[in-house]
Amino acid sequence: MLRGRSLSVTSLSGLPQWEVEELPIEDLLLFEVAWEVTNKVGGIYTVIQTKAKTTADEWGDNYFLIGPYFEHNMKTQVEQCEPVNDAVRRAMDSMNKHGCQVHFGRWLIEGSPYVVLFDIGYSAWNLDRWKGDLWEACSVGIPYHDREANDMLIFGSLTAWFLKEVQLIHVIAQFHEWQAGTGLILSRARKLPIATIFTTHATLLGRYLCAANIDFYNHLDKFNIDKEAGERQIYHRYCMERASVHCAHVFTTVSEITAIEAEHMLKRKPDVVTPNGLNVKKFSAVHEFQNLHAMYKARIQDFVRGHFYGHLDFDLEKTLFLFIAGRYEFSNKGADIFLEALSRLNFLLRVHKSDVTVVVFFIMPAKTNNFNVETLKGQAVRKQLWDIAHSVKEKFGKKLYDALLRGEIPDMDNILDRDDITIMKRAIFSTQRQSLPPVTTHNMIDDSTDPILSTIRRIGLFNSRTDRVKVILHPEFLSSTSPLLPMDYEEFVRGCHLGVFPSYYEPWGYTPAECTVMGIPSVTTNLSGFGCFMQEHVADPTAYGIYIVDRRFRSPDDSCNQLTQFLYGFCKQSRRQRIIQRNRTERLSDLLDWRYLGRVIVIMFVTYFCLWQTEGFKYPRPSSVPPSPSGSQVSSPQSSDVEDEEEDARYNEEEEAERDRLNIKSPFSPGRVPRGKKKLHGEYKN
């Protein structure tokens, strides 16, 4: 059941005013509508999945997710059950009697929220009639050949029908993205007594424009929106998105940078920014995440031993693992500037004769035929050497054991026989190779035109012996069942030293956020929602392992130089300094916890336009970092021969961690009353 508490909701247009004393809590229902409910097709799936537990804890049995029905997803992710809410059950029964198929159950994720799923194909016979309804509501027509838009119309029409059948006056519905927006448009057109919220995670046209390598952010106010959408044949989708935005009572987005974009692209300023979070799981032992880093780093080292067999002339203990991951959007995700920075980093490491080697992984799915034969051979050679070493060790150990039992010191010249030496020589010869280690683990279908491979050829990073930066493209999502690199994504991230995400277009950015909660430093930009969020809430992000590249106010070449300096400074850190930095990074995870961020969303749901203003809190600079300008690189730990001993003297990790825990009374934390608000009946009021 929903926790008992008093709420104050202001009057909505066309709705009765909900007063604190009158609001029947048990009748207040929250519906969250998204195409990604039980359907993993994009980043919104992660948002909804991770937020579900916090929302379900707050709303109890009065929280429902609405999404599309797919048989495979239903069988593997949903436990069917009967609805306990009478209004929901009546709505389902009514729709099923009129030729629809509505499914209900619990989504088997944390929080086990209720889900209502509509079978799109079963109701497709209504498509023409529903196209007419949409035209009458907002004069938007959908072409017959756009199957995705047609499916979204069916989904939205079923959603609006369901919300009408619920027949309660105290209903709140949140719609995610244009795919769910049709339901909002039709609900408002039919004057349903519900409070509506529309959340955009990225504007439709923004994605298209950035993918075309347009100087997007410097020309936001100059675009002819209708013309740009029409030229890309998405005008009807854009109209659906814009109509959803303007029909909603509350319009939200996930970051400040996306709010600026939405104001220009969709012609409405978001009412509130609701950052995305994660379910943060704290370890009982403070340094357990450091132990996990060491364990998974050893597994990555095993892969590197095989991949670079015959060219393993670098010290793996002085090797750093960097990675970039995400959709294969070469420019949007910043792979272009990252590769250029790696070329410059390689030059710096060679010129300064550094003994540090950097191995960089590109985890970006692309079209492939299969695994690269040379890559598979490398792992086979590594395993063969491991088996030979263990076999010889067993024989050596048995002879040594027998000699000691006899009270003798064995003759080391005779403890290995001729066969053992022959086997070891053959093993050494098997590691010889004429070719360089491959830069990709798979056979690419479009090898000659692939953007990453083409750039690698241009900058000449071919994994030669003289290169201090080695590159590996893994064009497939990671999996623990892979015969090549058998690790899940989370395990791989924990084993790396730095995640690099210099995105040009990134409305939020879950990849650097995931790094942060796992205690792995990361590079982001001031054009990503995550980067803007950290700049706003952390006084010196670099000191906490969050390197923010300026891609908004600098030229591409200057941004690349800044990224190169970040990477080179990271390479100069000692092992002790990296451990300290990981501890600091992990302590920022509370800022990204849905338990804190969810409070903003819950209060927004039940107070409508009582949008609270925070105090502008900033997570302070760590006490062990000397004062410096916020953007200065001095705040990043620097290498020194004597620094480790000096650092031990001034760095007390437990004291610093305790200060950070006290300071994380963030704008989202319980106990911090926003400026201009009074605490009334357990909630905030103007």
Side-chain angles (χ1 to χ4, degrees):
M1 292 297 295
L2 186 67
R3 279 192 247 146
R5 63 194 188 287
S6 298
L7 307 173
S8 174
V9 182
T10 59
S11 175
L12 303 183
S13 175
L15 292 178
Q17 184 164 345
W18 300 344
E19 297 292 347
V20 174
E21 319 303 349
E22 301 174 0
L23 184 60
I25 304 297
E26 65 276 3
D27 291 338
L28 180 61
L29 300 184
L30 170 61
F31 294 96
E32 194 163 357
V33 187
W35 186 254
E36 288 80 2
V37 171
T38 74
N39 182 32
K40 191 172 184 178
V41 293
I44 301 172
Y45 176 91
T46 304
V47 177
I48 295 170
Q49 183 193 42
T50 55
K51 182 162 64 76
K53 184 180 188 306
T54 300
T55 314
D57 288 346
E58 186 77 21
W59 291 82
D61 290 343
N62 290 26
Y63 172 54
F64 302 87
L65 289 158
I66 296 178
Y69 167 82
F70 294 102
E71 185 177 6
H72 174 71
N73 294 341
M74 186 76 182
K75 287 181 178 179
T76 57
Q77 298 185 49
V78 180
E79 179 186 21
Q80 284 190 284
C81 63
E82 290 296 319
V84 295
N85 186 283
D86 291 338
V88 171
R89 184 174 62 253
R90 286 195 302 268
M92 289 179 55
D93 290 343
S94 174
M95 292 181 69
N96 287 330
K97 286 177 183 176
H98 287 86
C100 302
Q101 272 199 0
V102 185
H103 302 265
F104 188 86
R106 283 193 179 273
W107 191 3
L108 299 179
I109 58 175
E110 282 192 271
S112 301
Y114 288 125
V115 291
V116 179
L117 305 177
F118 301 129
D119 191 326
I120 306 300
Y122 199 82
S123 300
W125 57 277
N126 290 297
L127 180 60
D128 288 339
R129 176 165 62 88
W130 286 339
K131 280 188 176 183
D133 292 344
L134 183 66
W135 178 261
E136 290 179 8
C138 59
S139 300
V140 175
I142 300 177
Y144 73 92
H145 57 77
D146 189 344
R147 180 172 178 178
E148 183 181 6
N150 286 320
D151 284 348
M152 300 314 156
L153 173 58
I154 298 171
F155 177 52
S157 300
L158 290 168
T159 301
W161 185 355
F162 175 80
L163 293 174
K164 180 182 178 182
E165 295 290 339
V166 169
Q167 293 181 345
L168 282 176
I169 64 168
H170 299 308
V171 173
I172 300 172
Q174 183 186 16
F175 299 82
H176 290 270
E177 289 291 334
W178 72 274
Q179 289 95 330
T182 311
L184 189 157
I185 298 168
L186 295 173
S187 296
R188 292 303 308 278
R190 294 164 188 172
K191 299 182 180 180
L192 301 186
I194 63 175
T196 57
I197 302 163
F198 184 77
T199 300
T200 183
H201 299 258
T203 68
L204 188 65
L205 189 56
R207 282 199 183 279
Y208 276 86
L209 290 171
C210 286
N213 290 325
I214 290 174
D215 187 5
F216 181 65
Y217 291 99
N218 289 324
H219 294 85
L220 271 175
D221 57 343
K222 300 179 178 65
F223 289 117
N224 183 331
I225 305 299
D226 292 338
K227 176 176 176 291
E228 297 290 351
E231 287 179 350
R232 288 160 177 79
Q233 298 183 356
I234 57 166
Y235 187 69
H236 57 288
R237 295 189 183 191
Y238 166 74
C239 290
M240 293 164 69
E241 180 182 40
R242 184 166 168 177
S244 303
V245 167
H246 287 268
C247 284
H249 292 109
V250 179
F251 173 40
T252 81
T253 188
V254 297
S255 65
E256 293 293 346
I257 193 71
T258 312
I260 296 170
E261 173 190 342
E263 187 175 359
H264 288 88
M265 295 288 109
L266 301 173
K267 307 305 179 185
R268 178 178 175 181
K269 184 177 181 179
D271 300 305
V272 66
V273 172
T274 56
N276 289 331
L278 289 162
N279 285 333
V280 177
K281 298 178 182 177
K282 291 288 187 180
F283 295 109
S284 54
V286 177
H287 294 296
E288 191 170 341
F289 79 95
Q290 296 277 14
N291 297 334
L292 290 174
H293 168 72
M295 179 174 70
Y296 293 125
K297 181 180 74 172
R299 289 169 60 176
I300 297 175
Q301 287 175 335
D302 279 344
F303 168 80
V304 169
R305 287 186 179 98
H307 192 83
F308 290 93
Y309 82 91
H311 288 257
L312 200 64
D313 52 358
F314 50 90
D315 186 354
L316 281 175
E317 293 305 317
K318 294 182 179 179
T319 299
L320 302 178
F321 300 130
L322 279 57
F323 79 100
I324 181 173
R327 287 189 302 274
Y328 199 146
E329 297 177 6
F330 185 65
S331 298
N332 280 359
K333 295 299 181 184
D336 51 353
I337 190 176
F338 186 27
L339 280 165
E340 186 61 42
L342 289 176
S343 176
R344 299 178 188 188
L345 175 65
N346 188 48
F347 173 78
L348 288 175
L349 293 175
R350 290 171 63 176
V351 165
H352 292 94
K353 302 188 185 305
S354 173
D355 59 354
V356 172
T357 301
V358 178
V359 177
V360 185
F361 293 87
F362 286 76
I363 313 296
M364 305 182 89
K367 294 180 180 179
T368 63
N369 285 323
N370 212 325
F371 292 112
N372 186 307
V373 173
E374 189 65 21
T375 304
L376 289 173
K377 179 183 176 183
Q379 299 307 312
V381 169
R382 178 193 63 79
K383 189 176 184 307
Q384 181 188 32
L385 290 176
W386 178 259
D387 293 341
I388 290 172
H390 270 261
S391 174
V392 173
K393 184 181 76 172
E394 288 291 325
K395 292 177 67 176
F396 179 92
K398 188 175 184 307
K399 289 181 181 180
L400 178 62
Y401 175 65
D402 290 340
L404 294 176
L405 283 177
R406 293 193 301 270
E408 301 173 358
I409 299 296
D411 183 358
M412 293 300 172
D413 293 333
N414 297 323
I415 202 164
L416 292 177
D417 57 34
R418 195 183 201 93
D419 289 342
D420 294 330
I421 295 173
T422 301
I423 290 172
M424 288 190 289
K425 285 182 178 179
R426 289 177 60 184
I428 292 172
F429 290 156
S430 71
T431 63
Q432 296 178 0
R433 72 196 306 181
Q434 303 302 317
S435 61
L436 293 173
V439 295
T440 178
T441 58
H442 292 61
N443 293 321
M444 305 288 288
I445 289 180
D446 298 319
D447 184 291
S448 60
T449 60
D450 182 80
I452 291 178
L453 294 181
S454 297
T455 306
I456 288 173
R457 295 184 188 104
R458 179 178 61 79
I459 62 180
L461 281 181
F462 295 121
N463 295 340
S464 65
R465 291 183 184 274
T466 57
D467 286 331
R468 297 272 47 84
V469 175
K470 319 284 186 181
V471 178
I472 302 174
L473 170 60
H474 188 282
E476 195 175 73
F477 283 127
L478 295 168
S479 170
S480 58
T481 60
S482 170
L484 198 62
L485 184 55
M487 300 179 73
D488 288 329
Y489 178 73
E490 180 180 337
E491 297 171 343
F492 177 79
V493 172
R494 287 192 182 277
C496 288
H497 295 92
L498 182 71
V500 185
F501 315 102
S503 305
Y504 183 77
Y505 186 79
E506 191 70 81
W508 174 243
Y510 258 116
T511 41
E514 288 166 337
C515 286
T516 302
V517 301
M518 289 187 246
I520 303 300
S522 61
V523 176
T524 182
T525 73
N526 59 355
L527 289 181
S528 77
F530 173 82
C532 293
F533 179 81
M534 284 300 175
Q535 277 186 323
E536 181 182 356
H537 294 289
V538 182
D540 190 356
T542 305
Y544 285 92
I546 309 295
Y547 300 89
I548 301 176
V549 177
D550 184 357
R551 295 203 66 181
R552 188 175 183 187
F553 303 110
R554 295 193 183 197
S555 68
D557 190 60
D558 287 344
S559 298
C560 187
N561 283 333
Q562 185 184 20
L563 175 57
T564 305
Q565 288 303 316
F566 282 154
L567 299 178
Y568 184 61
F570 188 82
C571 291
K572 292 200 297 182
Q573 291 183 22
S574 67
R575 182 174 179 273
R576 166 77 173 160
Q577 290 165 334
R578 291 196 301 271
I579 291 173
I580 292 171
Q581 192 177 58
R582 282 198 295 273
N583 285 333
R584 292 175 184 162
T585 303
E586 194 271 343
R587 288 201 293 273
L588 290 183
S589 59
D590 281 344
L591 283 175
L592 301 168
D593 195 333
W594 274 123
R595 288 177 297 173
Y596 296 113
L597 298 176
R599 289 181 59 81
V600 175
I601 298 171
V602 169
I603 291 174
M604 177 199 65
F605 280 158
V606 297
T607 59
Y608 179 46
F609 273 136
C610 289
L611 304 176
W612 56 346
Q613 299 297 319
T614 66
E615 297 179 357
F617 170 84
K618 279 203 172 188
Y619 210 88
R621 177 194 316 280
S623 56
S624 61
V625 174
S628 63
S630 179
S632 169
Q633 277 199 264
V634 178
S635 58
S636 179
Q638 295 296 313
S639 175
S640 168
D641 293 337
V642 296
E643 185 169 325
D644 282 356
E645 293 180 9
E646 294 175 352
E647 201 158 16
D648 283 332
R650 75 167 190 267
Y651 175 75
N652 187 309
E653 181 186 326
E654 291 185 2
E655 289 182 7
E656 183 175 287
E658 182 60 28
R659 279 190 291 269
D660 282 348
R661 279 192 287 272
L662 293 173
N663 282 322
I664 202 167
K665 292 290 185 182
S666 74
F668 318 116
S669 302
R672 178 173 287 266
V673 180
R675 178 183 298 153
K677 306 289 179 181
K678 295 179 181 178
K679 203 165 186 181
L680 180 66
H681 298 297
E683 295 297 343
Y684 298 117
K685 186 176 181 181
N686 281 327

